[in-house]
Amino acid sequence: MRLVIARCSVDYAGRLTAHLPSAPRLILVKADGSVSIHADDRAYKPLNWMSPPCTLKEGAGEDEGVWTVVNKAGEKLIITMEEILHDSSHELGVDPGLIKDGVEAHLQELLADRIETLGDGYTLIRREYMTAIGPVDILCRDGEGRTVAIEIKRRGEIDGVEQLTRYLDLLNRDPHLAPVRGIFAAQEIKPQARVLATDRGIDCHIMDYDALRGIEDDKLRLF
């Protein structure tokens, strides 16, 4: 990864045009070829970027200080450097990927062991069912023999629904599994995530951690 901090202006030319006036900014050039331009007040979101595959050409001669990034569609990101304050490169290597936290992983294990809590006749196919875009937390069959893909989160938000949607799209292309329906399972599901899941035909399931572990509620009961 190359990190450049520079006073620069940026012009984008493609399906529309955009201009960033001169200001100090951080430019990230990643090993995958992507280029993104960041300010100091936008958290992780870049001001402008070019996704791979794309090429970066640094100008020389009369064009010295002008970077031109072009993607396969012919769109251009032109960065005009006025002053470079920092320029360094770092080899990060292959990233091991996201490792789920202990609670989320434990929820997956518990639900797989107690898959019948989802309904009568549910049977486990396997945990961490691998696909071309990553592992589905749980793949199982319901009481009618239909394939069900389950995505498990500690806190269910829109990103989790989008993730499950991508898995379902891929799994439903497999004639040995299709049709595949989805269940979005979490200890808490945000209202927006529930609305999106319902709109996409995905069921929502609230997971009771203590109940899955077999811990009785210690509150007094009338019966």
Side-chain angles (χ1 to χ4, degrees), residues 27-218:
I27 304 166
L28 298 182
V29 183
K30 294 186 178 180
D32 63 3
S34 64
V35 178
S36 57
I37 300 158
H38 299 259
D40 208 14
D41 63 347
R42 296 290 188 96
Y44 63 89
K45 188 175 181 179
L47 296 166
N48 215 326
W49 67 95
M50 193 69 82
S51 300
C54 56
T55 58
L56 167 61
K57 179 181 178 182
E58 297 184 41
E62 293 182 357
D63 293 328
E64 186 175 0
V66 178
W67 290 15
T68 303
V69 187
V70 183
N71 66 12
K72 64 179 181 180
E75 298 169 316
K76 294 183 179 181
L77 194 63
I78 301 170
I79 308 169
T80 303
M81 304 290 187
E82 298 172 12
E83 180 184 7
I84 294 180
L85 307 172
H86 175 86
D87 189 348
S88 63
S89 296
H90 307 270
E91 181 59 54
L92 302 184
V94 178
D95 191 270
L98 180 66
I99 298 175
K100 296 178 180 178
D101 64 53
V103 173
E104 194 171 290
H106 197 201
L107 284 170
Q108 182 194 120
E109 181 181 352
L110 288 170
L111 185 58
D113 288 342
R114 296 172 178 261
I115 199 70
E116 69 279 358
T117 60
L118 293 174
D120 293 337
Y122 271 77
T123 56
L124 179 68
I125 296 176
R126 68 167 298 164
R127 291 172 52 197
E128 297 288 333
Y129 184 88
M130 187 56 65
T131 74
I133 58 174
V136 177
D137 287 335
I138 291 178
L139 197 69
C140 62
R141 295 195 187 277
D142 62 17
E144 299 178 13
R146 296 173 298 182
T147 310
V148 182
I150 305 173
E151 180 63 28
I152 297 172
K153 300 293 183 186
R154 184 171 56 181
R155 180 180 294 106
E157 299 183 357
I158 285 176
D159 286 352
V161 178
E162 294 284 7
Q163 183 179 358
L164 179 54
T165 300
R166 292 192 292 271
Y167 287 142
L168 290 172
D169 179 66
L170 194 64
L171 292 169
N172 273 299
R173 300 177 195 176
D174 186 338
H176 300 292
L177 298 175
V180 184
R181 66 183 184 89
I183 294 179
F184 188 48
Q187 290 179 285
E188 172 194 359
I189 298 178
K190 297 294 185 180
Q192 299 93 332
R194 185 179 292 275
V195 169
L196 181 61
T198 301
D199 181 68
R200 295 182 176 179
I202 295 171
D203 294 332
C204 291
H205 176 74
I206 298 297
M207 302 180 69
D208 186 327
Y209 187 57
D210 287 341
L212 286 171
R213 291 190 297 161
I215 298 176
E216 290 288 339
D217 192 340
D218 61 0

